[in-house]
Amino acid sequence: MDEHERYFWDLTGYLIVRNVLTADELAAANEAVDHYTDRIRIGEDNGGARDSQFLRGTGRPTLSNLLQLEQPYCKPFRNMLGHPAVVLHLNVMCGKRFRLDHGPLMIGGIKGTGGLTLHGAGETHRPHVAYNHQNDAPYCGGVTVTWQLTDVNEGDGGFVCVPGSHKSKHPMPKGVRTCDDDLGVVVQPSMKAGDVLFFMDGAQTHGTHPWRSDKPRRSILFKYASQSSVRSGPAASLARPETWWNEKLVEGMTDTERAVMYGPYSNHHGEVPFLTVDEDGTVQIEK
Ligand SMILES: O=C(O)CCC(=O)C(=O)O
């Protein structure tokens, strides 16, 4: 990752590396998607638009489990996992050592496919995917790497972001989230098939504009995390104190003691308790 890339990444929260896939690699990845056309799932109409007018449209096509496709069709996607361009950039962006957290997933689009409301930007603040910079080193807990299998021209739609939003000190206005009144801060980068996009998933405001091109969208998203970050995964079954430590160690503990014995678990939905202290100075357990 050269100094210009580092400057752009730190300043904007995203980076495009051009012309990474060869024509043969691109053809093999597109052929794999063509082969599994019948496995492409179509989401609900307006599914990602929520209360937005601008983002309305037909359901989004996606193809998942790309690493598990039969040989040779999984190969183009497995080759992307630890591609030199990924290693060179993620070792700087995430700090040395990174891992695949989830994905890859193909996000498709045909003319009229709806968008996705903007999200990220530390809403709510999630330190495991936040961005910070210390001792002359950038660090981002969650970085998504998107390989473009088709061109994305200006105005086509697809991935959009608010450059610099990973450093914003203010909540995102509703009009920006829905793109109904985006204040001119939302950018849709143009990319060619074979280009690779890195963005600060979680830290940066990003989402999807409706797809407007006559040609289809095909983007392959790999959700990476720094080695010590957890964005998803088996925590639901591993994090319980009896599993993370062991039955004997937590045997007979009070609920308060047990509450601090959970393993790391970032994508929980409130099932992990937390402790507070009430006005009397008594520790309470909340969820
Ligand atoms: O590439 C896109 O359309 C945006 C994807 C997105 O919002 C996400 O991965 O969280």
Side-chain angles (χ1 to χ4, degrees):
M1 187 166 177
D2 67 30
E3 67 189 53
H4 292 112
E5 290 180 320
R6 236 187 98 163
Y7 176 78
F8 192 93
W9 172 251
D10 171 67
L11 189 70
T12 67
Y14 76 101
L15 180 73
I16 296 164
V17 182
R18 307 280 176 189
N19 215 8
V20 179
L21 288 179
T22 64
D24 285 350
E25 288 169 333
L26 197 52
N30 271 313
E31 202 184 311
V33 175
D34 290 339
H35 187 80
Y36 289 101
T37 311
D38 59 339
R39 285 204 204 164
I40 294 178
R41 290 219 184 114
I42 309 291
E44 283 182 22
D45 289 356
N46 306 315
R50 298 201 187 170
D51 50 350
S52 164
Q53 287 304 310
F54 180 88
L55 298 173
R56 294 175 72 77
T58 54
R60 183 169 78 162
T62 55
L63 179 64
S64 52
N65 299 325
L66 301 178
L67 300 178
Q68 297 159 50
L69 301 177
E70 293 91 351
Q71 290 283 3
Y73 300 108
C74 60
K75 200 80 187 105
F77 308 110
R78 291 185 176 201
N79 288 345
M80 291 170 185
L81 259 179
H83 189 286
V86 171
V87 177
L88 282 171
H89 289 86
L90 288 190
N91 265 343
V92 179
M93 294 170 172
C94 296
K96 258 187 207 108
R97 297 191 181 83
F98 57 88
R99 58 182 192 83
L100 184 72
D101 188 275
H102 55 291
L105 171 80
M106 185 200 77
I107 298 185
I110 54 167
K111 194 169 189 167
T113 296
L116 187 61
T117 50
L118 270 54
H119 50 281
E123 267 186 24
T124 56
H125 183 57
R126 287 175 295 151
H128 52 282
V129 288
Y131 174 74
N132 68 55
H133 201 282
Q134 200 170 19
N135 299 328
D136 201 25
Y139 175 83
C140 189
V143 175
T144 293
V145 178
T146 307
W147 299 77
Q148 311 305 328
L149 300 192
T150 54
D151 291 353
V152 186
N153 298 304
E154 192 180 339
D156 280 355
F159 174 84
V160 293
C161 63
V162 179
S165 52
H166 57 299
K167 297 182 181 182
S168 175
K169 305 228 174 340
H170 302 279
M172 179 187 351
K174 182 172 180 231
V176 174
R177 190 175 59 75
T178 60
C179 295
D180 287 330
D181 177 13
D182 77 1
L183 308 175
V185 297
V186 176
V187 166
Q188 182 244 293
S190 302
M191 292 173 269
K192 291 281 175 212
D195 291 353
V196 185
L197 163 76
F198 294 78
F199 69 94
M200 294 181 186
D201 204 335
Q204 187 195 47
T205 297
H206 66 278
T208 312
H209 269 186
W211 191 249
R212 300 187 199 91
S213 171
D214 290 324
K215 299 194 177 139
R217 175 184 185 196
R218 276 186 182 178
S219 302
I220 312 292
L221 282 77
F222 288 72
K223 305 268 175 172
Y224 290 94
S226 75
Q227 188 60 44
S228 55
S229 273
V230 182
R231 301 170 65 183
S232 65
S237 45
L238 295 179
R240 287 168 49 78
E242 295 78 6
T243 320
W244 182 251
W245 298 90
N246 62 63
E247 297 267 359
K248 198 159 170 42
L249 194 145
V250 298
E251 196 181 86
M253 280 189 173
T254 65
D255 288 347
T256 302
E257 290 159 355
R258 216 178 155 277
V260 295
M261 299 301 280
Y262 278 76
Y265 187 2
S266 52
N267 61 328
H268 65 85
H269 299 287
E271 63 269 32
V272 177
F274 65 98
L275 299 179
T276 55
V277 181
D278 70 15
E279 284 177 2
D280 300 338
T282 310
V283 173
Q284 302 287 348
I285 303 171
E286 297 191 33
K287 275 196 176 175

